Amino acid sequence: MKKFILLILLCSCFSCKTEIRQSASTTVSPTRGLIAENAMVVSAREEASMIGLEIMKEGGNAFDAMMATEMALAVTFPFAGSLGGGGFMVYRKADGETGALDYREKAPLAATKNMYLDGSGNVDTKKSRFGALAVGVPGNIAGSFEAHARFGSLPVEQVLQPVIDLAKKGFVVSAKQEQSFNAYRRQMLEINNDTILFARVHRAGDTIRNLALAKTLERIVKNGRSEFYSGETAQKLVSFLQESGGIITLEDLEMYKAQWREPVTFSYKDLKIISMSPPSSGGIALAQIMKMIEPYPLQDYGHNSSKYIQVLTEAERRAYADRSQYLGDPDFVEIPTFQLTSVEYLHNRMDNFNFEKATPSSELNPGSIPGFESNETTHYSIVDSYGNAIAVTTTLNGAYGSKLYAEELGFFLNNEMDDFSAKPGVPNMFGLIGGEANAIAPQKRMLSSMTPTLVERDDHFWMSLGSPGGSTIITSVLQTILNVYEFDMTMQQAVDAPRFHHQWLPDEVLFEPAAFETSILNNLKSKGYHINEGQSRILGKVDAILRLENGSLEGGADHRGDDTAAGF
Ligand code: DON
């Protein structure tokens, strides 16, 4: 059901005219999400969307709103938002200029290729996933400041004041958050050897104030970016990490820089897609999949029909196989982007597919490219009233990252080191395998699947989207674009529609539970597809904005979380 409410008072600073759509609590899709004429933010939390919007109402642009939204997520969504994480931003300015910012975490200087192998040569996943050794050098503050310095228009004090106020005033725990805190309390207590703010019992409706984070943010406002990378906060962070058994030094923090990158840009029919380049695999994998499926008449097959699932699955299988072999940090490995995304290579890749039988992953290797021998996340989309659009995905990797919480600073630290390939062929927490291209090395960035994406249609901004979900991010973004483009869904319907996923290995198609027809699943089984409907795992949590034909914006806030669109 479509439910719009007029916001009377979320926080005294918000205008009465702002409309928000309350997060849907059922799986029933409204026909349209929130519609707004000028500007919009869609993020994992209502307060974060509202603060980003407020900054734009004060005259700020999407890049000012990025800093505000990002930091407000650090306050209200500690599951994935944090000063201790990293991410990627893709932008398209009003004049059509596009670009991408990489503020992914880096391996510390003292990291070594085999640092997670035990005496028998097996990967010790406890070390790569939990506690201080799992932490990569955080990039979120560098990223927010870099984007703001280049494109922002309001002073940092003005952008961050509402966030500091929110951290002091507190945010209200949602029912989903209560469940999540309960689910991870034991691990938080174990890793921190003590109780921490988020390991206390917080029930839905309680208010959590994070005064430590407010103080950290106040110091950042006063001293700028260097507060986090060389100032008092840096020193406190390094002492804390070292006391907790970590290897990150002040030098690591001082050396950290966000990096501007060329985004991956490609066409799909009459769309132009602009997505994240390495060290994320998102853009290249999305380009490969979309180019492989482009020749097939998807509309004729029908949404989520057997044939549709087969074509996407087979293209995904082939793209994820290539990912495992060729993709890594472009500052360390040469990536054959041109060859991997060329139409000729990709159409050849689908040559051995037919509708009678699944291609077993065991019989499918990464493609051969001459000259190239083997060698918890959150997304938000913002569009401002000036015509700029951004897509931003940031992460701590696992839920609450490494679970290590810097109580004095008020944030969790990531466990991004697990995104490296700790040992060739051994899966990471998302079941992804990799090799030399994604091996650990000092200062290297670990390969990501994050896929912040912008889409142009007829040379105009059309859609901004992205998702959390580890390896399922790429396929969630893919299906959301197709849902609108091929199947005429509204943005909200496209985000809410049931999803499926394949990633080469393990050789199984993941389906959202109880969302697909049994006859279709049986048909796929009969062709040799391994169906996994049992894992009650959500596949992505997409937040998106669509420009409608009349120029207004439609938000798609995923019903799978507390995600909310705010616009004016
Ligand atoms: O960069 C990546 O691909 C992963 N660290 C993302 C993790 C993630 O999406 C977890 N969220 N549910």
Side-chain angles (χ1 to χ4, degrees), residues 79-80 88 104 280-281 323 376-378 393-399 416 419 429-430 432 446-450 467-471 473:
F79 181 83
F88 300 106
R104 179 71 160 165
S280 182
S281 61
R323 177 196 195 278
E376 226 38 58
T377 309
T378 185
T393 314
T394 70
T395 188
L396 284 170
N397 197 23
E416 222 67 63
D419 270 349
M429 83 169 80
F430 299 104
L432 292 166
M446 52 300 279
L447 185 61
S448 172
S449 300
M450 290 190 276
S467 176
S471 54
I473 293 173

Side-chain angles (χ1 to χ4, degrees), residues 264 278 283-285 287-288 321-330 332-343 345-346 366-375 437 447:
V264 172
I284 291 184
Q288 288 195 299
D322 286 356
R323 177 196 195 278
S324 74
Q325 170 105 354
Y326 293 110
L327 303 191
D329 181 347
F332 283 71
V333 291
E334 202 183 334
I335 299 174
T337 307
F338 178 77
Q339 293 92 325
L340 286 173
T341 53
S342 83
V343 171
Y345 168 78
L346 292 168
S368 155
I369 305 255
F372 280 85
E373 295 311 320
S374 331
N375 200 350
L447 185 61

Side-chain angles (χ1 to χ4, degrees), residues 22 33 39 71-73 119 142 194 196 219 233 247 309 320 336-337 343 384-385 398 433 463 503 535 565:
Q22 283 193 317
M71 294 301 128
L73 285 167
D194 199 358
I196 55 166
R219 285 197 304 274
T233 302
I247 55 173
I309 294 169
Y320 278 81
T337 307
V343 171
D384 67 21
S385 54
I433 63 165
M463 192 188 287
Q503 59 179 51
Q535 239 177 43

Side-chain angles (χ1 to χ4, degrees), residues 71 74 81-85 138-141 213 216-217 220 228 409 411-412:
M71 294 301 128
S82 172
L83 278 60
N140 271 349
I141 289 291
L213 183 54
T216 303
L217 289 169
I220 289 175
F228 191 88
L409 300 173
F411 56 85
F412 281 103

